[in-house]
Amino acid sequence: MQKTGSNLKSRLRMLLLVCLVPLTVMIIYLLAILDQFSERYDTIVENITMANAYNINFKENMDYLMYIIVVNSERAEELVDTEQPHVMIDEAREVFQNLYEIADADYARSRLKGILKSLNTLEDRVEEIERDALVSGSYDKNMERLDLNIRILTELIQEQIQKYIYYEATNLEVLREGIRSDVDTAIRMSILVFGVILAGALLISRKIMIGITEPIQRLCEITRQAGRGDFAVRVQEKSDDELAALNASFNQMVEKIGRLVEDIRIEQINLRVTELKLLQAQINPHFLYNTLDAIIWLAEAGQKEQVVRMVSSLSGFFRTTLSKGRDYISVQEEEAHIRSYLEIQQFRYRDILEYEIRIPEEMYSYQILKLTLQPLVENALYHGIKNKRGLGHILVTGEQREETMIFRVRDDGMGMDEERLKDVREIISGELVDQNNPSGFGLFNVDQRIRLNYGAEYGLTIDSEYMRWTEARVVIPVVKN
């Protein structure tokens, strides 16, 4: 599928780039300007500092040394031997030579060149005075040289140094003006860049916000429709981002929910149909007619006690069958139901039927699906005991194993051979449909009702041995009232 839009991560990455890249460039630019200004400022201040040191002390120190050499013959020899004036001149020459080499303006180079020439001349004049200082009778001449040469030259050097310092100070002011101008330019550029970043960020963020909020709003509306029970709604996928994946997942979820709801509806319909058929089967007109005929026959014979028992059993049977529309009754009520049924049938088939019910009283208060055991008892009577010659027995038992109840309906009637048992099992599981086998259909209904109400892990199983016995086994969970 061709992409129609970028995913959210790409959009957010684009927004981040739009903000960070210009900001990074601007910060690098400002840092470069700051570094350049700082370097230039430091250089000028350093130059002024070095030059200013000689502006203050050089003239005084040099004039004083030369004066000592001229007027004090004893110290003159010492100063000449240690070459102190030459040391001062060499140090000054080295400093100003370095300044000359790093100077980037003609005026500064010219001033520094003049200082170096003056230092060379001063050195020559110092040597002249030093030669004559040790010779007697040259005092007046050296004093004249001190006034006309040394002091004038140091004055000239000091003046040149001051001009150089003034020039550098002027450069410092120019630098300040340049910094101010560049700062104004940087501020204007920063405002412009920030404006562009803000506009770009607003446009992209608005696009991202619309790309997020509109699909979410559509999804919320579709969700509300699905919440009202319309599972046919679907979210249209117009992009290929995370929200599109969310929409696709929502569509799949709604589709599955719709199918589940439909399956549940169909199961409920099938359950009601099954219960209705089972209820209709219990209100069997032949069973009712035969029972009423037996009651009439007993009444005509004057057997009032038997009539009372028959009527009471019939009343109890139908009372439990109807049970005020309830789907679940207690185990005690289900036992009373099958007992009423067996009492009625034992009167009719007293020569061939005996029964026994063994359900522990501690299970009486548990719930059971109505009409679970009675169809099994009826099946045992009509398809097991009646087809056997002689007396037959029906045994109904119940037991509890942890959270499970197990009921068994066992008869010692005809039983079933392997082929017949296989067919009945397939009918119960729904693998085989046999409309001509009412016993199998009744067992199928019991199993289906148990599975629909309790779950697929519960249900009905049947075992049999031909000419010996048949046992129906029901497994359901323990449900307390």
Side-chain angles (χ1 to χ4, degrees):
M1 182 175 64
Q2 186 178 1
K3 291 187 176 182
T4 59
S6 59
N7 57 34
L8 294 179
K9 186 183 293 184
S10 300
R11 297 180 191 178
L12 294 175
R13 188 182 297 116
M14 182 185 300
L15 177 61
L16 189 63
L17 290 176
V18 168
C19 296
L20 286 184
V21 171
L23 283 176
T24 303
V25 173
M26 177 58 64
I27 291 173
I28 293 174
Y29 169 72
L30 293 176
L31 289 175
I33 291 178
L34 180 62
D35 181 69
Q36 180 182 359
F37 290 159
S38 177
E39 183 179 356
R40 289 175 59 189
Y41 179 82
D42 291 343
T43 300
I44 293 174
V45 170
E46 185 179 355
N47 293 344
I48 292 175
T49 301
M50 289 189 295
N52 197 47
Y54 288 92
N55 178 48
I56 297 172
N57 300 320
F58 183 76
K59 175 176 173 55
E60 293 180 0
N61 294 338
M62 182 59 68
D63 289 350
Y64 177 73
L65 283 175
M66 296 310 297
Y67 175 77
I68 295 299
I69 291 173
V70 171
V71 300
N72 192 336
S73 59
E74 294 180 359
R75 293 195 61 189
E77 185 176 359
E78 178 185 352
L79 294 174
V80 171
D81 291 340
T82 57
E83 297 184 348
Q84 287 193 22
H86 295 283
V87 171
M88 288 183 60
I89 293 172
D90 289 340
E91 290 177 352
R93 183 187 291 116
E94 183 180 0
V95 169
F96 289 106
Q97 181 64 39
N98 291 334
L99 293 176
Y100 178 81
E101 291 175 357
I102 63 175
D104 57 357
D106 293 338
Y107 182 83
R109 295 172 67 88
S110 175
R111 295 276 68 80
L112 292 168
K113 187 175 182 181
I115 294 172
L116 292 173
K117 288 179 64 177
S118 297
L119 289 172
N120 292 333
T121 303
L122 177 63
E123 188 173 26
D124 293 339
R125 298 298 177 263
V126 169
E127 290 177 354
E128 291 177 357
I129 293 175
E130 286 177 343
R131 282 196 303 268
D132 294 338
L134 302 177
V135 179
S136 60
S138 59
Y139 173 78
D140 293 334
K141 185 178 181 180
N142 282 340
M143 284 298 294
E144 183 180 358
R145 288 175 179 171
L146 177 63
D147 290 333
L148 296 178
N149 293 330
I150 301 302
R151 289 174 177 169
I152 290 176
L153 282 173
T154 55
E155 182 73 25
L156 177 61
I157 291 172
Q158 187 178 40
E159 182 180 350
Q160 289 174 328
I161 291 173
Q162 289 176 349
K163 289 182 179 180
Y164 173 75
I165 292 173
Y166 176 77
Y167 169 76
E168 291 293 346
T170 303
N171 282 344
L172 194 62
E173 179 63 21
V174 173
L175 177 63
R176 189 190 68 80
E177 293 294 332
I179 292 175
R180 180 62 186 174
S181 175
D182 289 342
V183 167
D184 292 340
T185 302
I187 290 175
R188 288 192 293 270
M189 289 184 62
S190 298
I191 293 174
L192 178 62
V193 170
F194 287 144
V196 172
I197 293 174
L198 182 60
L202 287 175
L203 289 175
I204 295 177
S205 61
R206 184 175 182 274
K207 183 177 179 181
I208 293 175
M209 183 175 62
I210 292 175
I212 294 175
T213 56
E214 287 188 353
I216 290 178
Q217 289 174 353
R218 290 196 299 269
L219 181 60
C220 289
E221 179 60 29
I222 297 298
T223 303
R224 283 192 289 269
Q225 295 181 29
R228 291 192 291 267
D230 185 5
F231 298 109
V233 294
R234 297 292 183 273
V235 182
Q236 299 298 322
E237 302 174 19
K238 297 182 179 180
S239 62
D240 192 33
D241 55 13
E242 290 85 348
L243 289 172
L246 180 62
N247 291 339
S249 299
F250 175 81
N251 290 339
Q252 294 176 1
M253 180 187 70
V254 171
E255 184 178 356
K256 289 181 180 179
I257 291 176
R259 288 202 299 264
L260 288 174
V261 170
E262 183 64 20
D263 292 342
I264 291 173
R265 189 182 68 84
I266 293 174
E267 286 182 357
Q268 291 296 325
I269 293 174
N270 292 336
L271 178 61
R272 295 306 173 191
V273 171
T274 301
E275 290 177 343
L276 180 61
K277 290 181 178 179
L278 191 59
L279 184 61
Q280 291 174 344
Q282 303 315 305
I283 309 177
N284 189 321
H286 296 290
F287 168 72
L288 183 58
Y289 294 157
N290 293 333
T291 303
L292 292 176
D293 285 342
I295 292 173
I296 292 171
W297 181 79
L298 289 171
E300 290 177 348
Q303 301 183 24
K304 296 180 180 180
E305 292 182 1
Q306 292 289 344
V307 170
V308 172
R309 286 185 57 193
M310 287 286 288
V311 172
S312 177
S313 297
L314 183 62
S315 173
F317 175 80
F318 282 111
R319 183 183 301 110
T320 305
T321 299
L322 299 175
S323 62
K324 299 180 181 180
R326 290 180 297 158
D327 292 329
Y328 294 91
I329 59 176
S330 67
V331 173
Q332 185 176 14
E333 290 176 305
E334 182 73 6
E335 179 188 335
H337 188 227
I338 58 176
R339 191 180 298 277
S340 299
Y341 176 78
L342 288 171
E343 286 178 355
I344 294 171
Q345 296 291 30
Q346 190 179 41
F347 178 80
R348 295 178 58 200
Y349 304 106
R350 66 180 63 194
D351 296 330
I352 64 172
L353 174 62
E354 287 186 352
Y355 69 88
E356 184 179 1
I357 302 175
R358 300 178 190 169
I359 298 178
E361 292 184 2
E362 55 266 23
M363 296 176 62
Y364 280 176
S365 60
Y366 299 155
Q367 287 187 353
I368 187 173
L369 188 63
K370 181 178 64 178
L371 300 178
T372 296
L373 301 180
Q374 191 276 331
L376 306 180
V377 172
E378 182 177 348
N379 191 74
L381 173 62
Y382 283 103
H383 301 282
I385 302 299
K386 284 186 65 175
N387 293 330
K388 174 187 176 182
R389 294 181 180 179
L391 183 64
H393 300 80
I394 295 177
L395 175 63
V396 180
T397 62
E399 64 175 312
Q400 179 182 353
R401 293 182 183 176
E402 296 180 352
E403 297 301 316
T404 301
M405 293 189 295
I406 302 174
F407 296 94
R408 292 181 174 86
V409 178
R410 185 183 183 93
D411 68 81
D412 57 358
M414 284 293 294
M416 292 177 280
D417 56 25
E418 291 293 333
E419 183 177 356
R420 176 60 184 156
L421 179 61
K422 178 176 178 294
D423 291 341
V424 172
R425 285 174 173 171
E426 290 180 352
I427 291 173
I428 293 174
S429 65
E431 299 177 13
L432 178 65
V433 178
D434 187 357
Q435 299 293 343
N436 297 321
N437 189 346
S439 65
F441 180 75
L443 297 176
F444 170 77
N445 281 348
V446 172
D447 182 68
Q448 284 296 105
R449 290 175 67 242
I450 292 174
R451 292 178 181 274
L452 289 173
N453 283 276
Y454 295 116
E457 64 271 28
Y458 303 102
L460 169 67
T461 56
I462 191 163
D463 289 298
S464 183
E465 185 176 345
Y466 185 61
M467 295 298 296
R468 297 195 62 184
W469 55 269
T470 300
E471 180 180 278
R473 180 172 178 268
V474 172
V475 179
I476 60 176
V478 172
V479 181
K480 299 179 180 179
N481 287 325

